[in-house]
Amino acid sequence: MSPANEPSFRESVDLMFNRAVAIMDLPPGLEEKIRVCNATYTVRFGVRLRGQIHTFTGYRSVHSEHMEPVKGGIRFATAVNQDEVEALAALMTYKCALVETPFGGSKGGLCIDPREWDEHELELITRRFAYELVKRDLIHPAQNVPAPDMGTGEREMAWIADQFARMNTTDINSRACVTGKPLNAGGIAGRVEATGRGVQYALREFFRHPEDVKKANLSGSLDGKRVIVQGLGNVGYHAAKFLQQEDGAIVTGIIERDGALFNPDGLDVEAVHAWLAKHGGVAGFPDATHTAEGAAVLEEDCDILIPAALEAVITLDNAARIKAPLIIEAANGPVTAGADEVLRKKGTIIIPDMYANAGGVTVSYFEWVKNLSHIRFGRMQRRQEEARHQLVVDELERLDRYLGDAWTLRPEFKDKYLRGADELELVRSGLDDTMRTAYQSMREVWHDRDDVDDLRVAAYLVAIDRVAASYRAKGL
Ligand code: GLU
């Protein structure tokens, strides 16, 4: 149980927003306009399943329409409620502004435990929910573009896209009504892993700045850093896997629903993920200690803590005991406003959610652009790029023959250089660039302003400034 003075998730987002606007020079009316959620649509619909009618409750919130379409995932979870959806929609507004994806903020949710229903039943429920939203333009390529979130994935997005297409048979852009679709239904390479990949790119960028690393009382690179991850869902799994396999990080702890695994020498993320898929939990995994009280492992000694599951997992209750000097918020809102204050006082560096998990919406943006342009990225340029590179390689080979033993062209150079970029490489390059640029814009504020001493306020300042500029340009 959280202490009584613990703010709710929505209050936390508002408190963090208020902390930022207090040091900005916005006209009071504009401040209020940006903070409030524009609209929330609640729908209750019935679906006949297992011989009886079941009623479901769903939401779609639109936080800010300073840019359209508005964007944000649809979550399937029993804890979904209006306050949560509105807080998540607000975070989408700031997230999109921070990473410069040209969208307003939105979010949706359906109160459901997806594990209670089989695939066919889930399809009926998802299609019916989509129908209600499409009917009101709350799913629309130019107005509101959902994406996966907790409890949803490619499969649900494909159903939503198909439902929209059935209701808009002559709309040539119908595929752009939702992102996170499977490749064969208009998706883009690299979307599934995008949020986890973004977390990796965010950490790589952080470690490119030794002064920032020092602020977290750390040094060196990601290599050998001890990481604890909470939640081995889509985001946590990909982030932990990439950090382990590509950056040399040691994943010492993995926290899941049924407790946590810990091994100071490192856990094999891929093996734990396979175990989880097979057994439905992490308990029993060999080569690790299992603690039934998973949350306790958040407090273990480590270099980087990655909460990648739910909101409000670091609270007034446990914040003082968190040992990690660096926290990267892969989930939305994992640290409450109260805990944030405790951690800031302790000197913990927090890479905030609106930046840390923005990889998903960034690649969603690429997918939306791909759908509107009706062509795969790289399809026109790839072979032409290869042909031009071939010219250089031909010349180098001529030199190679001429110089004899004195110099030779390395075969790996030739292979790497000759290959034109495919869609996946372009998506990764676009994502990497986005994560670097956004970090630098936050960092500039963090370092340059005396009244800003954490990355979260810096992120809010950059984002709110951009949203305000958009409203001003509209004459508001
Ligand atoms: N649900 C993800 C988020 O919270 C992705 C949103 C999107 O791609 O539109 O950022």
Side-chain angles (χ1 to χ4, degrees):
M1 260 316 266
S2 293
N5 53 345
E6 187 80 70
S8 70
F9 177 31
R10 188 207 173 114
E11 285 162 353
S12 276
V13 173
D14 281 348
L15 284 166
M16 289 166 180
F17 175 90
N18 292 344
R19 202 155 64 78
V21 289
I23 55 168
M24 291 180 83
D25 203 14
L26 291 179
L30 185 56
E31 184 182 307
E32 173 73 356
K33 172 69 203 82
I34 297 175
R35 191 180 53 76
V36 298
C37 181
N38 288 4
T40 301
Y41 172 72
T42 307
V43 58
R44 294 183 189 86
F45 57 90
V47 186
R48 180 174 287 279
L49 300 161
R50 303 177 192 175
Q52 70 178 86
I53 294 174
H54 292 262
T55 302
F56 297 91
T57 306
Y59 306 91
R60 187 78 182 159
S61 274
V62 176
H63 174 261
S64 175
E65 292 150 290
H66 67 288
M67 284 195 188
E68 284 181 311
V70 293
K71 190 97 190 69
I74 289 186
R75 172 175 288 204
F76 282 6
T78 45
V80 161
N81 61 67
Q82 182 169 344
D83 260 16
E84 182 195 61
V85 175
E86 290 188 358
L88 290 164
L91 279 177
M92 283 309 303
T93 296
Y94 310 131
K95 190 185 304 190
C96 290
L98 182 65
V99 294
E100 297 179 286
T101 54
F103 303 127
S106 182
K107 200 81 172 199
L110 186 65
C111 295
I112 186 175
D113 180 354
R115 287 165 306 181
E116 274 180 17
W117 304 96
D118 69 27
E119 183 162 4
H120 177 64
E121 291 165 337
L122 271 176
E123 178 174 350
L124 292 174
I125 300 163
T126 306
R127 281 184 182 274
R128 182 60 208 276
F129 184 32
Y131 169 83
E132 295 294 334
L133 298 180
V134 171
K135 216 165 61 168
R136 292 167 178 85
D137 289 340
L138 288 163
I139 296 179
H140 188 285
Q143 297 203 41
N144 198 325
V145 183
D149 200 80
M150 196 186 294
T152 58
E154 288 188 323
R155 181 183 67 174
E156 288 73 16
M157 302 307 117
W159 293 331
I160 294 173
D162 186 63
Q163 186 64 36
F164 182 89
R166 286 183 191 202
M167 295 166 73
N168 296 274
T169 48
T170 55
D171 186 345
I172 196 171
N173 291 321
S174 72
R175 279 183 156 181
C177 76
V178 65
T179 57
K181 302 175 293 290
L183 255 185
N184 62 10
I188 194 166
R191 175 61 185 86
V192 174
E193 62 175 55
T195 314
R197 190 58 86 187
V199 172
Q200 175 196 31
Y201 289 166
L203 280 172
R204 282 187 181 173
E205 180 58 16
F206 179 83
F207 278 89
R208 275 189 202 106
H209 301 277
E211 313 103 278
D212 301 5
V213 177
K214 206 167 152 215
K215 277 180 186 266
N217 275 323
L218 293 168
S219 61
S221 68
L222 273 167
D223 192 34
K225 293 287 178 292
R226 296 160 307 151
V227 172
I228 293 179
V229 58
Q230 182 192 38
L232 215 55
N234 182 39
V235 181
Y237 161 61
H238 283 107
K241 178 171 97 165
F242 297 146
L243 289 167
Q244 176 175 70
Q245 293 180 355
E246 298 170 16
D247 298 289
I250 305 166
V251 179
T252 53
I254 293 179
I255 308 166
E256 257 296 324
R257 271 174 223 272
D258 68 327
L261 298 177
F262 192 78
N263 182 345
D265 299 325
L267 295 152
D268 179 344
V269 176
E270 201 66 272
V272 176
H273 188 250
W275 183 274
L276 184 64
K278 190 163 169 210
H279 303 273
V282 290
F285 182 78
D287 305 326
T289 341
H290 178 261
T291 319
E293 191 42 60
V297 173
L298 288 169
E299 299 165 22
E300 282 291 340
D301 197 16
C302 68
D303 299 311
I304 307 171
L305 179 61
I306 312 184
L310 288 169
E311 52 256 19
V313 292
I314 301 176
T315 61
L316 283 173
D317 202 32
N318 60 359
R321 295 192 302 273
I322 299 288
K323 294 193 194 70
L326 176 63
I327 299 177
I328 177 158
E329 297 181 326
N332 287 306
V335 176
T336 64
D340 191 63
E341 199 178 328
V342 174
L343 292 167
R344 267 185 286 124
K345 287 199 180 125
K346 278 205 324 176
T348 310
I349 299 295
I350 303 178
I351 303 181
D353 46 8
M354 79 168 76
Y355 166 69
N357 66 37
V361 75
T362 301
V363 177
S364 276
Y365 168 42
F366 303 154
E367 179 176 333
W368 181 72
V369 171
K370 174 186 181 180
N371 294 151
L372 294 176
S373 57
H374 300 268
I375 189 163
R376 181 177 74 234
F377 286 107
R379 183 162 174 182
M380 303 296 278
Q381 310 90 319
R382 186 176 179 190
R383 304 302 168 193
Q384 192 262 356
E385 201 184 315
E386 286 183 2
R388 278 157 54 97
H389 287 185
Q390 186 68 54
L391 289 177
V392 177
V393 167
D394 288 348
E395 283 305 290
L396 287 172
E397 278 180 337
R398 212 160 56 80
L399 195 64
D400 190 352
R401 283 193 297 276
Y402 176 71
L403 289 174
D405 285 344
W407 183 84
T408 46
L409 184 62
R410 282 179 296 129
E412 47 304 357
F413 166 80
K414 190 174 152 179
D415 290 348
K416 274 195 187 159
Y417 188 67
L418 271 184
R419 205 163 36 90
D422 62 11
E423 185 169 81
L424 184 60
E425 281 170 89
L426 292 169
V427 162
R428 286 189 183 154
S429 148
L431 176 58
D432 193 10
D433 183 61
T434 303
M435 297 310 289
R436 291 188 201 210
T437 313
Y439 184 79
Q440 285 156 21
S441 60
M442 273 188 319
R443 170 173 203 274
E444 212 174 278
V445 174
W446 187 29
H447 286 265
D448 291 356
R449 283 186 62 152
D450 294 337
D451 51 358
V452 173
D453 49 24
D454 65 312
L455 278 166
R456 190 186 313 277
V457 159
Y460 269 99
L461 285 182
V462 174
I464 296 169
D465 214 34
R466 290 185 183 154
V467 177
S470 266
Y471 275 124
R472 269 194 225 104
K474 281 176 186 262
L476 200 75

